[in-house]
PDB file of all heavy atoms in Angstrom:
ATOM      1  N   LYS A  88     129.890 103.342 100.200  1.00  0.00           N
ATOM      2  CA  LYS A  88     129.887 102.885 101.581  1.00  0.00           C
ATOM      3  C   LYS A  88     128.313 103.151 102.183  1.00  0.00           C
ATOM      4  O   LYS A  88     128.061 102.307 102.986  1.00  0.00           O
ATOM      5  CB  LYS A  88     130.843 103.799 102.342  1.00  0.00           C
ATOM      6  CG  LYS A  88     132.289 103.745 102.108  1.00  0.00           C
ATOM      7  CD  LYS A  88     133.091 104.368 103.095  1.00  0.00           C
ATOM      8  CE  LYS A  88     134.607 104.190 102.726  1.00  0.00           C
ATOM      9  NZ  LYS A  88     134.996 104.757 101.583  1.00  0.00           N
ATOM     10  N   VAL A  98     107.512 105.153  91.825  1.00  0.00           N
ATOM     11  CA  VAL A  98     107.791 103.817  92.194  1.00  0.00           C
ATOM     12  C   VAL A  98     106.709 102.880  92.304  1.00  0.00           C
ATOM     13  O   VAL A  98     106.765 101.706  91.926  1.00  0.00           O
ATOM     14  CB  VAL A  98     108.748 103.787  93.509  1.00  0.00           C
ATOM     15  CG1 VAL A  98     109.055 102.406  93.960  1.00  0.00           C
ATOM     16  CG2 VAL A  98     110.115 104.392  93.120  1.00  0.00           C
ATOM     17  N   SER A  99     105.611 103.536  92.689  1.00  0.00           N
ATOM     18  CA  SER A  99     104.400 102.714  92.755  1.00  0.00           C
ATOM     19  C   SER A  99     103.438 102.761  91.626  1.00  0.00           C
ATOM     20  O   SER A  99     102.409 102.005  91.594  1.00  0.00           O
ATOM     21  CB  SER A  99     103.631 103.252  94.052  1.00  0.00           C
ATOM     22  OG  SER A  99     104.396 103.173  95.288  1.00  0.00           O
ATOM     23  N   ALA A 100     103.810 103.518  90.572  1.00  0.00           N
ATOM     24  CA  ALA A 100     102.947 103.694  89.408  1.00  0.00           C
ATOM     25  C   ALA A 100     102.738 102.332  88.678  1.00  0.00           C
ATOM     26  O   ALA A 100     101.634 101.979  88.322  1.00  0.00           O
ATOM     27  CB  ALA A 100     103.652 104.602  88.393  1.00  0.00           C
ATOM     28  N   ARG A 108     101.521 114.397  90.014  1.00  0.00           N
ATOM     29  CA  ARG A 108     101.610 115.493  88.994  1.00  0.00           C
ATOM     30  C   ARG A 108     101.561 115.076  87.604  1.00  0.00           C
ATOM     31  O   ARG A 108     101.649 116.012  86.686  1.00  0.00           O
ATOM     32  CB  ARG A 108     102.900 116.363  89.294  1.00  0.00           C
ATOM     33  CG  ARG A 108     102.866 117.077  90.541  1.00  0.00           C
ATOM     34  CD  ARG A 108     104.147 117.730  90.951  1.00  0.00           C
ATOM     35  NE  ARG A 108     103.892 118.403  92.374  1.00  0.00           N
ATOM     36  CZ  ARG A 108     103.865 117.714  93.441  1.00  0.00           C
ATOM     37  NH1 ARG A 108     104.391 116.474  93.325  1.00  0.00           N
ATOM     38  NH2 ARG A 108     103.750 118.270  94.615  1.00  0.00           N
ATOM     39  N   VAL A 119      93.708 120.123  95.962  1.00  0.00           N
ATOM     40  CA  VAL A 119      94.498 120.050  97.158  1.00  0.00           C
ATOM     41  C   VAL A 119      94.032 120.650  98.285  1.00  0.00           C
ATOM     42  O   VAL A 119      93.936 120.143  99.370  1.00  0.00           O
ATOM     43  CB  VAL A 119      95.972 120.589  96.926  1.00  0.00           C
ATOM     44  CG1 VAL A 119      96.882 120.466  98.134  1.00  0.00           C
ATOM     45  CG2 VAL A 119      96.585 119.769  95.724  1.00  0.00           C
ATOM     46  N   THR A 120      93.486 121.905  98.073  1.00  0.00           N
ATOM     47  CA  THR A 120      93.112 122.805  99.221  1.00  0.00           C
ATOM     48  C   THR A 120      91.815 122.277  99.990  1.00  0.00           C
ATOM     49  O   THR A 120      91.641 122.577 101.021  1.00  0.00           O
ATOM     50  CB  THR A 120      92.964 124.171  98.706  1.00  0.00           C
ATOM     51  OG1 THR A 120      91.878 124.152  97.630  1.00  0.00           O
ATOM     52  CG2 THR A 120      94.195 124.875  98.346  1.00  0.00           C
ATOM     53  N   TYR A 139      90.526 109.796 101.879  1.00  0.00           N
ATOM     54  CA  TYR A 139      91.545 108.890 102.431  1.00  0.00           C
ATOM     55  C   TYR A 139      91.119 107.505 102.541  1.00  0.00           C
ATOM     56  O   TYR A 139      91.797 106.540 102.153  1.00  0.00           O
ATOM     57  CB  TYR A 139      92.159 109.443 103.720  1.00  0.00           C
ATOM     58  CG  TYR A 139      93.186 110.434 103.518  1.00  0.00           C
ATOM     59  CD1 TYR A 139      92.842 111.874 103.637  1.00  0.00           C
ATOM     60  CD2 TYR A 139      94.432 110.182 103.189  1.00  0.00           C
ATOM     61  CE1 TYR A 139      93.776 112.713 103.233  1.00  0.00           C
ATOM     62  CE2 TYR A 139      95.403 111.109 102.873  1.00  0.00           C
ATOM     63  CZ  TYR A 139      94.955 112.447 102.986  1.00  0.00           C
ATOM     64  OH  TYR A 139      95.931 113.452 102.544  1.00  0.00           O
ATOM     65  N   ARG A 142      91.398 106.260  99.105  1.00  0.00           N
ATOM     66  CA  ARG A 142      92.752 106.017  98.690  1.00  0.00           C
ATOM     67  C   ARG A 142      93.266 104.742  99.365  1.00  0.00           C
ATOM     68  O   ARG A 142      94.135 103.972  98.850  1.00  0.00           O
ATOM     69  CB  ARG A 142      93.688 107.175  99.106  1.00  0.00           C
ATOM     70  CG  ARG A 142      93.489 108.254  98.055  1.00  0.00           C
ATOM     71  CD  ARG A 142      94.301 109.493  98.383  1.00  0.00           C
ATOM     72  NE  ARG A 142      95.760 109.327  98.248  1.00  0.00           N
ATOM     73  CZ  ARG A 142      96.733 110.145  98.742  1.00  0.00           C
ATOM     74  NH1 ARG A 142      96.458 111.098  99.392  1.00  0.00           N
ATOM     75  NH2 ARG A 142      98.072 109.696  98.605  1.00  0.00           N
ATOM     76  N   GLN A 144      91.423 102.114 100.178  1.00  0.00           N
ATOM     77  CA  GLN A 144      90.868 101.011  99.413  1.00  0.00           C
ATOM     78  C   GLN A 144      91.513 100.769  98.115  1.00  0.00           C
ATOM     79  O   GLN A 144      91.894  99.631  97.864  1.00  0.00           O
ATOM     80  CB  GLN A 144      89.412 101.246  99.095  1.00  0.00           C
ATOM     81  CG  GLN A 144      88.503 101.269 100.396  1.00  0.00           C
ATOM     82  CD  GLN A 144      87.183 101.680 100.113  1.00  0.00           C
ATOM     83  OE1 GLN A 144      86.444 101.045  99.352  1.00  0.00           O
ATOM     84  NE2 GLN A 144      86.598 102.565 101.012  1.00  0.00           N
ATOM     85  N   ASP A 148      94.662  96.515  97.981  1.00  0.00           N
ATOM     86  CA  ASP A 148      94.866  95.284  97.148  1.00  0.00           C
ATOM     87  C   ASP A 148      95.946  95.355  96.266  1.00  0.00           C
ATOM     88  O   ASP A 148      96.245  94.351  95.410  1.00  0.00           O
ATOM     89  CB  ASP A 148      93.476  95.050  96.432  1.00  0.00           C
ATOM     90  CG  ASP A 148      92.397  94.698  97.360  1.00  0.00           C
ATOM     91  OD1 ASP A 148      92.594  94.122  98.486  1.00  0.00           O
ATOM     92  OD2 ASP A 148      91.178  95.310  97.091  1.00  0.00           O
ATOM     93  N   VAL A 175     114.603 106.649 101.867  1.00  0.00           N
ATOM     94  CA  VAL A 175     113.912 107.801 102.235  1.00  0.00           C
ATOM     95  C   VAL A 175     112.725 107.835 101.139  1.00  0.00           C
ATOM     96  O   VAL A 175     113.007 108.101  99.958  1.00  0.00           O
ATOM     97  CB  VAL A 175     114.781 109.183 102.086  1.00  0.00           C
ATOM     98  CG1 VAL A 175     113.952 110.259 102.479  1.00  0.00           C
ATOM     99  CG2 VAL A 175     115.983 109.037 102.970  1.00  0.00           C
ATOM    100  N   LEU A 185     106.003  96.442 102.675  1.00  0.00           N
ATOM    101  CA  LEU A 185     105.513  95.156 102.171  1.00  0.00           C
ATOM    102  C   LEU A 185     106.489  94.330 101.310  1.00  0.00           C
ATOM    103  O   LEU A 185     106.561  93.212 101.461  1.00  0.00           O
ATOM    104  CB  LEU A 185     104.221  95.358 101.372  1.00  0.00           C
ATOM    105  CG  LEU A 185     103.000  95.717 102.132  1.00  0.00           C
ATOM    106  CD1 LEU A 185     101.878  95.876 101.212  1.00  0.00           C
ATOM    107  CD2 LEU A 185     102.570  94.611 103.163  1.00  0.00           C
ATOM    108  N   GLY A 187     109.675  94.402 101.871  1.00  0.00           N
ATOM    109  CA  GLY A 187     110.712  93.895 102.784  1.00  0.00           C
ATOM    110  C   GLY A 187     111.867  94.910 103.017  1.00  0.00           C
ATOM    111  O   GLY A 187     112.668  94.625 103.823  1.00  0.00           O
ATOM    112  N   PHE A 192     112.770 105.897 106.178  1.00  0.00           N
ATOM    113  CA  PHE A 192     112.314 107.181 106.600  1.00  0.00           C
ATOM    114  C   PHE A 192     111.068 107.474 105.687  1.00  0.00           C
ATOM    115  O   PHE A 192     111.237 107.815 104.636  1.00  0.00           O
ATOM    116  CB  PHE A 192     113.216 108.282 106.617  1.00  0.00           C
ATOM    117  CG  PHE A 192     114.216 108.084 107.687  1.00  0.00           C
ATOM    118  CD1 PHE A 192     115.529 107.511 107.331  1.00  0.00           C
ATOM    119  CD2 PHE A 192     114.086 108.087 108.941  1.00  0.00           C
ATOM    120  CE1 PHE A 192     116.533 107.372 108.318  1.00  0.00           C
ATOM    121  CE2 PHE A 192     115.040 107.928 110.014  1.00  0.00           C
ATOM    122  CZ  PHE A 192     116.285 107.512 109.606  1.00  0.00           C
ATOM    123  N   TRP A 204      93.512 114.098 116.261  1.00  0.00           N
ATOM    124  CA  TRP A 204      93.545 115.543 115.633  1.00  0.00           C
ATOM    125  C   TRP A 204      94.024 116.539 116.535  1.00  0.00           C
ATOM    126  O   TRP A 204      93.757 116.548 117.803  1.00  0.00           O
ATOM    127  CB  TRP A 204      92.036 115.758 115.265  1.00  0.00           C
ATOM    128  CG  TRP A 204      91.698 117.149 114.731  1.00  0.00           C
ATOM    129  CD1 TRP A 204      90.684 117.895 115.372  1.00  0.00           C
ATOM    130  CD2 TRP A 204      92.300 117.926 113.780  1.00  0.00           C
ATOM    131  NE1 TRP A 204      90.681 119.051 114.626  1.00  0.00           N
ATOM    132  CE2 TRP A 204      91.592 119.159 113.735  1.00  0.00           C
ATOM    133  CE3 TRP A 204      93.374 117.720 112.896  1.00  0.00           C
ATOM    134  CZ2 TRP A 204      91.927 120.118 112.840  1.00  0.00           C
ATOM    135  CZ3 TRP A 204      93.718 118.689 112.014  1.00  0.00           C
ATOM    136  CH2 TRP A 204      92.969 119.896 111.982  1.00  0.00           C
ATOM    137  N   GLU A 215      98.318 102.309 114.159  1.00  0.00           N
ATOM    138  CA  GLU A 215      97.793 101.764 113.015  1.00  0.00           C
ATOM    139  C   GLU A 215      96.272 101.742 113.035  1.00  0.00           C
ATOM    140  O   GLU A 215      95.663 101.519 114.137  1.00  0.00           O
ATOM    141  CB  GLU A 215      98.293 100.282 112.747  1.00  0.00           C
ATOM    142  CG  GLU A 215      99.699 100.225 112.207  1.00  0.00           C
ATOM    143  CD  GLU A 215     100.022  98.836 111.814  1.00  0.00           C
ATOM    144  OE1 GLU A 215      99.410  97.802 112.293  1.00  0.00           O
ATOM    145  OE2 GLU A 215     101.032  98.589 111.063  1.00  0.00           O
ATOM    146  N   ASP A 228      88.715 107.662 118.507  1.00  0.00           N
ATOM    147  CA  ASP A 228      89.326 106.679 119.298  1.00  0.00           C
ATOM    148  C   ASP A 228      88.336 106.170 120.292  1.00  0.00           C
ATOM    149  O   ASP A 228      87.117 106.574 120.295  1.00  0.00           O
ATOM    150  CB  ASP A 228      90.637 107.174 119.934  1.00  0.00           C
ATOM    151  CG  ASP A 228      90.283 108.212 120.979  1.00  0.00           C
ATOM    152  OD1 ASP A 228      89.163 108.586 121.148  1.00  0.00           O
ATOM    153  OD2 ASP A 228      91.227 108.683 121.633  1.00  0.00           O
ATOM    154  N   ASP A 229      88.839 105.247 121.282  1.00  0.00           N
ATOM    155  CA  ASP A 229      87.834 104.823 122.269  1.00  0.00           C
ATOM    156  C   ASP A 229      87.225 105.749 123.067  1.00  0.00           C
ATOM    157  O   ASP A 229      86.107 105.599 123.603  1.00  0.00           O
ATOM    158  CB  ASP A 229      88.530 103.727 123.082  1.00  0.00           C
ATOM    159  CG  ASP A 229      88.942 102.392 122.374  1.00  0.00           C
ATOM    160  OD1 ASP A 229      88.467 102.251 121.181  1.00  0.00           O
ATOM    161  OD2 ASP A 229      89.957 101.840 122.780  1.00  0.00           O
ATOM    162  N   GLY A 242     101.127 122.819 104.135  1.00  0.00           N
ATOM    163  CA  GLY A 242     101.135 123.811 105.353  1.00  0.00           C
ATOM    164  C   GLY A 242     101.618 123.145 106.626  1.00  0.00           C
ATOM    165  O   GLY A 242     101.761 123.950 107.604  1.00  0.00           O
ATOM    166  N   SER A 246     107.697 115.323 110.443  1.00  0.00           N
ATOM    167  CA  SER A 246     108.148 114.863 111.727  1.00  0.00           C
ATOM    168  C   SER A 246     109.535 115.268 111.958  1.00  0.00           C
ATOM    169  O   SER A 246     110.454 114.861 111.024  1.00  0.00           O
ATOM    170  CB  SER A 246     108.008 113.314 111.771  1.00  0.00           C
ATOM    171  OG  SER A 246     109.112 112.848 112.601  1.00  0.00           O
ATOM    172  N   GLY A 252     116.708 112.181 110.612  1.00  0.00           N
ATOM    173  CA  GLY A 252     117.322 110.925 110.181  1.00  0.00           C
ATOM    174  C   GLY A 252     117.687 110.900 108.735  1.00  0.00           C
ATOM    175  O   GLY A 252     118.564 110.503 108.280  1.00  0.00           O
ATOM    176  N   CYS A 260     125.781 109.962 102.882  1.00  0.00           N
ATOM    177  CA  CYS A 260     125.848 108.811 101.844  1.00  0.00           C
ATOM    178  C   CYS A 260     126.915 109.296 100.796  1.00  0.00           C
ATOM    179  O   CYS A 260     127.133 110.462 100.633  1.00  0.00           O
ATOM    180  CB  CYS A 260     124.559 108.620 101.258  1.00  0.00           C
ATOM    181  SG  CYS A 260     123.950 109.909 100.042  1.00  0.00           S
ATOM    182  N   SER A 281     122.751 118.188  97.913  1.00  0.00           N
ATOM    183  CA  SER A 281     123.707 118.219  98.905  1.00  0.00           C
ATOM    184  C   SER A 281     124.601 116.958  98.740  1.00  0.00           C
ATOM    185  O   SER A 281     125.859 117.107  98.989  1.00  0.00           O
ATOM    186  CB  SER A 281     123.064 118.049 100.405  1.00  0.00           C
ATOM    187  OG  SER A 281     122.238 117.042 100.540  1.00  0.00           O
ATOM    188  N   LEU A 283     125.557 115.986  95.627  1.00  0.00           N
ATOM    189  CA  LEU A 283     126.373 116.424  94.569  1.00  0.00           C
ATOM    190  C   LEU A 283     127.464 117.355  94.995  1.00  0.00           C
ATOM    191  O   LEU A 283     128.582 117.199  94.637  1.00  0.00           O
ATOM    192  CB  LEU A 283     125.547 117.025  93.544  1.00  0.00           C
ATOM    193  CG  LEU A 283     124.684 116.100  92.625  1.00  0.00           C
ATOM    194  CD1 LEU A 283     123.695 116.854  91.706  1.00  0.00           C
ATOM    195  CD2 LEU A 283     125.484 115.087  91.633  1.00  0.00           C
ATOM    196  N   ASN A 325     128.385  87.713  89.290  1.00  0.00           N
ATOM    197  CA  ASN A 325     129.806  87.425  89.681  1.00  0.00           C
ATOM    198  C   ASN A 325     130.185  87.822  91.149  1.00  0.00           C
ATOM    199  O   ASN A 325     131.403  88.055  91.333  1.00  0.00           O
ATOM    200  CB  ASN A 325     130.790  87.931  88.695  1.00  0.00           C
ATOM    201  CG  ASN A 325     130.454  87.756  87.238  1.00  0.00           C
ATOM    202  OD1 ASN A 325     130.022  86.563  87.059  1.00  0.00           O
ATOM    203  ND2 ASN A 325     130.780  88.683  86.446  1.00  0.00           N
TER     204      ASN A 325
END
Side-chain angles (χ1 to χ4, degrees):
K88 290 190 180 69
V98 167
S99 296
R108 292 174 186 79
V119 175
T120 53
Y139 278 94
R142 285 180 65 192
Q144 288 175 55
D148 298 323
V175 178
L185 284 179
F192 290 104
W204 166 235
E215 278 188 340
D228 74 355
D229 293 341
S246 148
C260 76
S281 62
L283 289 169
N325 309 321

